[in-house]
């Protein structure tokens, strides 16, 4: 029997975490293995994918450790660090071709979104009302910082994370909330794919093209054409060599600025499925986590915002973002260390153990 929060009556907290961790090992291992296979077939460069897998793994492990020891301080520190990083290095996205009217649809927006999620997680984890309010103001400040840096998408995603976090306090069933987040990510990805395939109505297509710029749309279409030419992909890191739009550009980073389309072009259908599996694994780990539902849904909203940013930008090309995603997932799925029982003297003069509620421990 499974509870509303995803807990099984037969499985303890340890068993639930072992199951989600095992799924993560399989998924991330498959991502690394498939990048090596496609690179061997087409002579690509799998270093970027391998580095991203390593970054997510390291961030997740660090998040689990610090989340167990410091369930409030760790996400709070992560939020402050993310905000400080974007203010100190506002141009995390290299090259002028990613600067569009939509904003910096790349690392800057992604880091701010993850930072807002970390602040919201810390807010739900603390019992202090004043600190909770301050952390929520910090999350709102991420949206203000995005606007100040000219990143409209960061302002939207950070605001959405804060609103979802506030709504999570009234949502008893985390499964429904996580399913809704997965649907939102799938919708953004589908819209990106439809735009690249010229499958949208004329008015909507023109509006999106004005926001995204024709150059980005051309990159997406090149990626889709490459995916149709070879179902197994052209090899990791080879999009810049084979895309006519990227080749003709004076300044180009060799990426289509859409994670799903880049995986489709370079690693084929299997690569897209593995990317989706990695996102679903994080949601599954959140569903199985022992943390309160508002903490879980706050982290899920931030990771969904990251998925939306990655669907229209090159956010996942930056190690900082990959580490941040793994860190947030680890913080939200960590099981905080329970306080040790307090010793007390019994009537017989021997030292007894008291449980946290003051009753003698069994």
């Amino acid at each position: 029997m499974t509870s509303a929060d995803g807990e099984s009556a037969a499985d303890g907290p340890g068993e639930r975490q072992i199951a989600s961790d095992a799924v993560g090992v399989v998924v991330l291992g498959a991502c690394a293995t498939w990048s090596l296979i496609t690179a061997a077939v087409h002579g690509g460069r799998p270093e970027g994918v391998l580095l991203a897998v390593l970054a997510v793994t390291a961030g997740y492990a660090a998040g689990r450790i610090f989340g167990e020891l410091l369930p409030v301080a760790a996400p709070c520190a992560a939020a402050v660090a993310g905000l400080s990083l974007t203010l100190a290095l506002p141009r995390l996205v290299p090259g002028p071709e990613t600067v569009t009217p939509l904003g910096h649809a790349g690392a800057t927006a992604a880091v701010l979104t993850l930072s807002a999620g970390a602040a919201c997680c810390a807010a739900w984890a603390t019992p202090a009302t004043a600190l909770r309010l301050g952390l929520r103001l910090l999350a709102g400040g991420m949206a203000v910082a995005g606007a100040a840096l000219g990143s409209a998408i960061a302002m939207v995603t950070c605001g959405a994370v804060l609103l979802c976090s506030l709504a999570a306090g009234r949502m008893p069933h985390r499964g429904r909330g996580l399913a809704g987040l997965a649907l939102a990510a799938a919708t953004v990805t589908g819209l990106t794919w439809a735009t690249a395939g010229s499958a949208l109505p004329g008015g909507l297509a023109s509006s999106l093209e004005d926001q995204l710029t024709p150059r980005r749309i051309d990159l997406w279409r090149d990626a889709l054409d490459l995916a149709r030419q070879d179902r197994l992909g052209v090899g990791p890191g080879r999009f810049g060599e084979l895309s006519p739009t990227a080749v003709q550009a004076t300044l180009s980073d060799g990426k289509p600025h859409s994670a799903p389309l880049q995986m489709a072009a370079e690693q084929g259908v299997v690569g897209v499925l593995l990317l989706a599996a990695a996102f679903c694994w994080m949601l599954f780990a959140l569903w199985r986590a022992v943390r309160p539902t508002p903490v879980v849904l706050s982290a899920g909203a931030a990771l969904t915002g990251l998925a939306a940013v990655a669907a229209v930008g090159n956010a996942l090309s930056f190690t900082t973002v990959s580490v941040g995603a793994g860190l947030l997932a680890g913080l939200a799925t960590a099981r905080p260390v329970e306080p040790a029982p307090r010793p007390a003297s019994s009537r017989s003069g021997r030292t007894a153990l008291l449980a946290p509620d003051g009753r003698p421990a069994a």
Side-chain angles (χ1 to χ4, degrees):
M1 181 179 297
T2 302
S3 68
D5 281 347
E7 297 184 8
S8 173
D11 296 337
E15 287 77 5
R16 294 200 302 275
Q17 287 191 331
I18 290 174
S20 61
D21 289 347
V23 173
V25 169
V26 172
V27 171
L28 294 179
C31 291
T33 302
W34 182 249
S35 69
L36 292 173
I37 292 174
T38 54
V41 172
H42 297 285
R45 298 178 297 277
E47 295 84 1
V49 177
L50 296 178
L51 181 59
V53 171
L54 180 61
V56 171
T57 304
Y60 185 74
R64 288 284 289 273
I65 294 171
F66 288 111
E68 290 181 3
L69 300 177
L70 304 168
V72 178
C76 181
V80 173
L83 179 60
S84 301
L85 177 64
T86 54
L87 293 178
L89 301 173
R91 295 283 177 173
L92 287 176
V93 180
E97 70 177 284
T98 59
V99 181
T100 71
L102 183 63
H104 307 149
T108 300
V111 170
L112 286 175
T113 302
L114 294 173
S115 300
C120 290
C121 288
W124 281 114
T126 179
T129 304
L131 180 57
R132 178 173 295 181
L133 177 60
L135 288 169
R136 286 174 176 165
L137 291 175
L138 176 62
M142 305 294 177
V144 177
L149 294 174
S151 178
I153 192 170
M155 181 177 62
V156 172
T157 53
C158 291
V161 168
L162 179 58
L163 291 177
C164 288
S165 178
L166 294 174
R170 299 180 177 273
M171 185 172 294
H173 302 287
R174 70 174 62 176
R176 297 177 183 176
L178 292 173
L181 294 175
L183 180 60
T187 300
V188 174
T189 302
L191 187 62
T192 302
W193 212 284
T195 302
S198 302
L200 295 177
L204 180 58
S206 299
S207 176
L208 287 176
E209 186 170 339
D210 292 339
Q211 293 294 321
L212 296 166
T213 71
R215 181 172 189 75
R216 189 183 298 251
I217 302 299
D218 290 339
L219 289 170
W220 290 0
R221 288 170 179 165
D222 288 349
L224 193 58
D225 290 339
L226 291 175
R228 290 169 177 169
Q229 293 173 13
D230 195 331
R231 299 297 181 183
L232 295 180
V234 299
R238 298 194 64 208
F239 174 81
E241 303 171 6
L242 302 176
S243 166
T245 304
V247 170
Q248 295 172 5
T250 304
L251 294 174
S252 174
D253 58 3
K255 301 182 185 303
H257 296 276
S258 173
L261 289 172
Q262 181 173 353
M263 294 298 288
E266 297 183 347
Q267 300 189 48
V269 177
V270 176
V272 176
L273 293 178
L274 288 175
L275 179 64
F279 176 70
C280 291
W281 159 64
M282 287 190 172
L283 296 185
F284 174 72
L286 292 172
W287 178 62
R288 301 279 288 183
V290 298
R291 301 299 300 276
T293 295
V295 173
V296 166
L297 293 181
S298 297
L303 292 172
T304 302
L306 171 61
V309 171
V312 298
N314 62 340
L316 297 186
S317 299
F318 293 82
T319 305
T320 304
V321 176
S322 300
V323 172
L327 180 66
L328 179 60
L331 290 171
T333 56
R335 181 175 58 180
V337 177
E338 297 180 358
R342 294 183 292 107
S345 299
S346 64
R347 292 182 178 180
S348 61
R350 294 176 299 175
T351 299
L353 293 180
L354 295 182
D357 59 0
R359 294 180 297 177

